[in-house]
Amino acid sequence: SLLGAPSKTFSQFTGSLGRTVAQLSMDDNYLRARERTANSTPRHAVDGLMSGSIGLGRGVVEGLTGLISAPLEGAQAHGLAGFVKGVGKGLVGVAVKPAAGILDLASRTAEGVVRTFEFFEGASRSLDGAEADPSQRMRLPRLLHGPERTIHPYSRYEAIAQLVLLGLRDGVYLREGVL
């Protein structure tokens, strides 16, 4: 798609740059926690933004707490030399971890945008019959409007919107009175 391809390229670039920057932190615990969250794929743009915001928050918090914890851990393990090494590690971490968090935010948000475009393209293809299977639906279910669940003329866009709303927070937005 027109926006999906550049978003995918941007996501891959910022993700790779974020991994490289995070390696500079020299903090194995931070890197492991970052990799655990990197394995989950955002389902849509909002999910990507939330996931990226968590990565940014983790980077800022761990960067700031590392200023205190890295010297203390170093001192406990190796005395004065460990303390000095810990101070250096903490100073590097306070700059590197938030920078990696910013790159995570950009990467995860772009990845969510890509997933959103892929979702809409897939829904559009299946609605147009490109993936026609006689045992499958010919079109998505109609959106029933309001608390009375009134029937309006079929709209492909409303059907896609209903599918998206069902996927967000287990359909909680679909029960809104505005629809």
Side-chain angles (χ1 to χ4, degrees):
S1 78
L2 187 60
L3 292 175
S7 295
K8 187 171 188 173
T9 302
F10 180 75
S11 171
Q12 290 171 341
F13 174 73
T14 55
S16 177
L17 189 59
R19 283 188 296 278
T20 303
V21 168
Q23 290 292 325
L24 297 175
S25 73
M26 299 174 287
D27 184 345
D28 293 332
N29 293 333
Y30 171 71
L31 294 173
R32 276 193 296 275
R34 211 174 156 279
E35 285 304 315
R36 277 193 302 271
T37 57
N39 290 335
S40 66
T41 303
R43 297 174 307 200
H44 45 75
V46 175
D47 197 23
L49 183 62
M50 288 175 46
S51 175
S53 298
I54 290 169
L56 173 60
R58 178 186 303 113
V60 170
V61 168
E62 292 208 19
L64 292 174
T65 58
L67 277 174
I68 304 297
S69 65
L72 292 178
E73 290 170 3
Q76 287 176 343
H78 303 289
L80 182 60
F83 177 80
V84 172
K85 184 178 174 183
V87 168
K89 212 172 168 182
L91 289 173
V92 168
V94 79
V96 166
K97 290 175 183 177
I102 290 169
L103 291 167
D104 285 344
L105 174 64
S107 174
R108 304 294 283 176
T109 302
E111 189 176 354
V113 168
V114 170
R115 298 281 181 216
T116 301
F117 280 108
E118 288 173 354
F119 170 79
F120 282 119
E121 286 174 355
S124 177
R125 266 187 266 121
S126 66
L127 289 174
D128 293 336
E131 298 172 5
D133 179 2
S135 65
Q136 298 295 321
R137 287 186 167 271
M138 294 302 290
R139 65 181 192 189
L140 292 171
R142 174 190 315 266
L143 175 65
L144 300 176
H145 295 264
E148 299 85 25
R149 317 250 317 138
T150 58
I151 296 176
H152 291 208
Y154 183 80
S155 166
R156 181 173 97 168
Y157 300 109
E158 286 180 352
I160 291 172
Q162 173 180 246
L163 189 62
V164 170
L165 291 172
L166 277 170
L168 294 173
R169 294 189 57 206
D170 297 323
V172 73
Y173 297 115
L174 193 57
R175 294 186 289 274
E176 289 288 323
V178 176
L179 298 175

PDB file of all heavy atoms in Angstrom, residues 23 61 116 165:
ATOM      1  N   GLN A  23      22.215  -2.005  22.815  1.00  0.00           N
ATOM      2  CA  GLN A  23      23.406  -2.809  23.115  1.00  0.00           C
ATOM      3  C   GLN A  23      24.483  -1.973  23.803  1.00  0.00           C
ATOM      4  O   GLN A  23      25.277  -2.494  24.588  1.00  0.00           O
ATOM      5  CB  GLN A  23      23.983  -3.430  21.832  1.00  0.00           C
ATOM      6  CG  GLN A  23      23.129  -4.518  21.226  1.00  0.00           C
ATOM      7  CD  GLN A  23      23.061  -5.760  22.082  1.00  0.00           C
ATOM      8  OE1 GLN A  23      24.022  -6.138  22.749  1.00  0.00           O
ATOM      9  NE2 GLN A  23      21.901  -6.388  22.083  1.00  0.00           N
ATOM     10  N   VAL A  61      12.860   5.202  32.723  1.00  0.00           N
ATOM     11  CA  VAL A  61      12.931   4.776  34.134  1.00  0.00           C
ATOM     12  C   VAL A  61      14.216   4.000  34.405  1.00  0.00           C
ATOM     13  O   VAL A  61      14.924   4.272  35.384  1.00  0.00           O
ATOM     14  CB  VAL A  61      11.683   3.932  34.499  1.00  0.00           C
ATOM     15  CG1 VAL A  61      11.867   3.240  35.834  1.00  0.00           C
ATOM     16  CG2 VAL A  61      10.447   4.806  34.519  1.00  0.00           C
ATOM     17  N   THR A 116      -2.167  -2.271  10.652  1.00  0.00           N
ATOM     18  CA  THR A 116      -3.490  -1.716  10.371  1.00  0.00           C
ATOM     19  C   THR A 116      -3.758  -1.727   8.868  1.00  0.00           C
ATOM     20  O   THR A 116      -4.834  -2.142   8.429  1.00  0.00           O
ATOM     21  CB  THR A 116      -3.594  -0.277  10.921  1.00  0.00           C
ATOM     22  OG1 THR A 116      -3.352  -0.308  12.329  1.00  0.00           O
ATOM     23  CG2 THR A 116      -4.962   0.313  10.655  1.00  0.00           C
ATOM     24  N   LEU A 165     -13.572  -2.552  15.721  1.00  0.00           N
ATOM     25  CA  LEU A 165     -14.029  -2.295  17.082  1.00  0.00           C
ATOM     26  C   LEU A 165     -14.136  -3.582  17.897  1.00  0.00           C
ATOM     27  O   LEU A 165     -13.882  -3.586  19.097  1.00  0.00           O
ATOM     28  CB  LEU A 165     -15.378  -1.566  17.068  1.00  0.00           C
ATOM     29  CG  LEU A 165     -15.329  -0.126  16.560  1.00  0.00           C
ATOM     30  CD1 LEU A 165     -16.742   0.424  16.414  1.00  0.00           C
ATOM     31  CD2 LEU A 165     -14.504   0.746  17.484  1.00  0.00           C
TER      32      LEU A 165
END
